[in-house]
């Protein structure tokens, strides 16, 4: 007699052997799709793995049939990204990349003096091609520069046919009587244009006026122009205050306006003074007086400390102030010690 439980069990076993077990939802593989995708499959049902666009299969099997055991076989299929052609070098430029695989993007820059023709980045497509096409770096050039009015091109060396390369320079000069405003040297920029052109303008200066107690010479012309020169001089005993030669500057002014300054007569007859760092006798060195601008140092006594110090005096247009502390000694007062012979304080 067979127990009913066993019968039940056997019949179940029998059924399972004939019908088989159902397979579960298949294992998910990276970058792969399963067709058809269901939560369970009857034994004998077929599934196919395909790689997603941009990925290619490597190894393993793509097609499976649900076995009677209800267990999908172990799948060793791999879906690997497509690899685009090597694009790691850009002549006269640089490429930034991590890998050349789908779906990565690489980017491009050109070296200084070169400009990018094309897109500054490209993507590796599903088909394993770069899109858009890879760019190139071409040298930056500037066309020959225009010459400003009243100017002439004095230096220009095109290195790219008639054109200049990036960083190339051209130098302009103004025609005579014209002054330059702006920079006379222009440079070919990274935009393929030149830096700002200078301007040349005609510049006139008024006739320089004659200084009092002196004279001025300038070219005998109707009009004085930029860079014309005038020279100044002074009559006897007068000294020129300013440069001997002045020039008409670009602002229509003279570079300086010199004048003639009077010499100084000295009330002091005898003294040892310092002039240009040396001890001199005032009566020898300045017997004809001092010229405008000359400076001397007088010796004075500090009575309490019994020492000497100096004070400066300068001839300014006919006037010199002798320091109050200075005491002049008569040539006869030989027993008195001059301040210049006393030790310095
Ligand atoms: C340079 O310019 C000259 C005169 O304009 C022209 O005849 C010549 O074809 C140019 N050369 C080049 C390389 O462009
Ligand atoms: C003029 O420009 C050049 C570069 O193009 C520069 O080196 C120079 O210092 C400039 N000169 C002046 C006076 O600005
Ligand atoms: C040169 O070209 C750049 C870009 O187009 C522009 O910004 C610049 O003003 C131009 N320079 C001159 C001097 O024209
Ligand atoms: C030119 O000279 C005049 C008179 O001496 C003066 O007023 C003016 O400021 C000067 N201008 C320049 C740019 O030096």
């Amino acid at each position: 007699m067979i127990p009913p439980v066993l019968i039940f069990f056997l019949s179940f076993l029998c059924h399972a052997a004939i019908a088989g077990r159902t397979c579960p939802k298949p294992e998910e593989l990276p970058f792969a799709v399963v067709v058809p995708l269901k939560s369970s499959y009857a034994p004998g049902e077929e599934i196919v793995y395909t790689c997603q666009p941009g990925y290619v299969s490597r190894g393993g099997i793509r097609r499976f049939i649900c076995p009677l055991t209800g267990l999908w076989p172990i799948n060793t299929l791999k879906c690997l990204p497509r690899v685009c052609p090597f694009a790691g070098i850009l002549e006269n430029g640089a490429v930034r990349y991590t890998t050349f695989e789908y779906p990565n993007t690489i980017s491009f820059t050109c070296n200084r003096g070169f400009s990018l023709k094309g897109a500054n980045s490209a993507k590796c497509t599903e088909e394993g091609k770069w899109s858009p096409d890879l760019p190139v770096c071409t040298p930056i050039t500037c066309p020959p520069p225009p010459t400003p009015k009243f100017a002439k091109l004095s230096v220009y060396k095109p290195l790219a046919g008639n054109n200049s390369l990036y960083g190339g320079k051209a130098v302009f000069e103004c025609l005579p009587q014209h002054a330059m405003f702006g920079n006379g040297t222009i440079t070919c920029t990274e935009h393929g244009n030149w830096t700002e052109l200078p301007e040349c303008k005609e510049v006139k200066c008024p006739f320089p006026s004659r200084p009092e107690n002196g004279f001025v010479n300038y070219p005998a012309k109707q009009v004085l122009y930029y860079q014309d020169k005038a020279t100044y001089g002074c009559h006897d005993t007068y000294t020129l205050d300013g440069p001997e030669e002045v020039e008409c500057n670009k602002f229509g002014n003279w570079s300086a306006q010199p004048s003639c300054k009077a010499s100084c007569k000295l009330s002091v007859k005898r003294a040892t003074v310092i002039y240009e760092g040396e001890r001199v006798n005032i009566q020898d060195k300045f017997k004809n007086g001092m010229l405008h601008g000359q400076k001397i140092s007088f010796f004075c006594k500090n009575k309490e400390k019994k020492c000497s110090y100096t004070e400066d005096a300068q001839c300014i247009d006919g006037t010199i102030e002798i320091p109050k502390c200075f005491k002049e000694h008569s040539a006869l007062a030989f027993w008195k010690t001059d301040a210049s012979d006393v030790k310095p304080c």
Side-chain angles (χ1 to χ4, degrees), residues 249 251-254 257:
N249 68 25
F251 305 110
N253 270 358
W254 293 96
Q257 284 173 337

Side-chain angles (χ1 to χ4, degrees), residues 268-280:
V268 176
K269 295 288 170 289
R270 285 167 48 86
T272 299
V273 296
I274 296 176
Y275 172 65
E276 291 185 338
E278 292 190 16
R279 292 165 79 100
V280 298

Side-chain angles (χ1 to χ4, degrees), residues 44-311:
E45 261 191 287
E46 182 185 89
I47 58 166
V48 175
Y49 281 90
T50 6
C51 289
Q52 286 173 6
Y55 295 84
V56 285
S57 59
R58 165 104 72 74
I61 301 166
R62 300 180 48 186
R63 192 176 294 269
F64 295 94
I65 292 169
C66 176
L68 289 173
T69 57
L71 296 171
W72 292 111
I74 287 171
N75 190 349
T76 56
L77 178 81
K78 279 205 168 67
C79 285
L80 299 176
R82 278 189 198 276
V83 179
C84 277
F86 179 77
I89 291 172
L90 178 63
E91 220 177 313
N92 300 309
V95 184
R96 275 231 318 268
Y97 61 87
T98 47
T99 72
F100 299 131
E101 291 171 348
Y102 173 83
N104 285 341
T105 295
I106 60 178
S107 60
F108 312 97
T109 52
C110 289
N111 296 344
R112 191 176 274 271
F114 292 84
S115 69
L116 199 66
K117 289 278 140 51
N120 62 7
S121 68
K123 189 179 153 82
C124 182
T125 64
E126 291 169 359
E127 293 78 38
K129 294 198 187 101
W130 292 111
S131 174
D133 285 343
L134 300 182
V136 290
C137 290
T138 57
I140 292 170
T141 61
C142 288
T147 303
K149 237 177 160 185
F150 308 120
K152 67 179 205 289
L153 194 55
S154 69
V155 179
Y156 180 57
K157 284 198 211 79
L159 292 175
N162 287 343
N163 296 338
S164 286
L165 290 173
Y166 166 79
K169 294 196 189 310
V171 182
F172 295 108
E173 272 171 22
C174 290
L175 301 181
Q177 304 175 3
H178 291 76
M180 185 172 285
F181 295 85
N183 196 327
T185 302
I186 58 170
T187 308
C188 176
T189 72
E190 62 189 6
H191 306 296
N193 59 9
W194 293 94
T195 54
E196 215 170 323
L197 291 171
E199 265 188 281
C200 291
K201 290 184 193 156
E202 189 184 69
V203 171
K204 296 175 189 171
C205 275
F207 290 106
S209 48
R210 188 181 72 80
E212 246 182 278
N213 303 304
F215 52 87
V216 58
N217 294 320
Y218 47 83
K221 298 198 292 186
Q222 295 282 310
V223 181
L224 297 180
Y225 290 105
Y226 177 60
Q227 287 185 328
D228 276 338
K229 289 172 181 56
T231 54
Y232 283 82
C234 292
H235 298 147
D236 252 8
T237 76
Y238 285 85
T239 309
L240 196 63
D241 188 22
E244 237 170 79
E245 188 179 80
V246 299
E247 194 179 86
C248 174
N249 68 25
K250 62 202 257 185
F251 305 110
N253 270 358
W254 293 96
S255 54
Q257 284 173 337
S259 56
C260 291
K261 296 284 166 63
S263 300
C264 295
K265 285 209 172 57
L266 286 164
S267 55
V268 176
K269 295 288 170 289
R270 285 167 48 86
T272 299
V273 296
I274 296 176
Y275 172 65
E276 291 185 338
E278 292 190 16
R279 292 165 79 100
V280 298
N281 291 322
I282 209 169
Q283 60 274 26
D284 302 335
K285 185 78 190 173
F286 300 108
K287 52 176 178 284
N288 300 322
M290 280 172 74
L291 297 178
H292 167 76
Q294 283 182 327
K295 197 194 256 181
I296 53 177
S297 305
F298 284 91
F299 286 95
C300 297
K301 266 188 205 163
N302 180 326
K303 291 226 170 66
E304 285 94 66
K305 293 186 181 162
K306 296 192 164 43
C307 59
S308 71
Y309 60 97
T310 59
E311 272 200 16

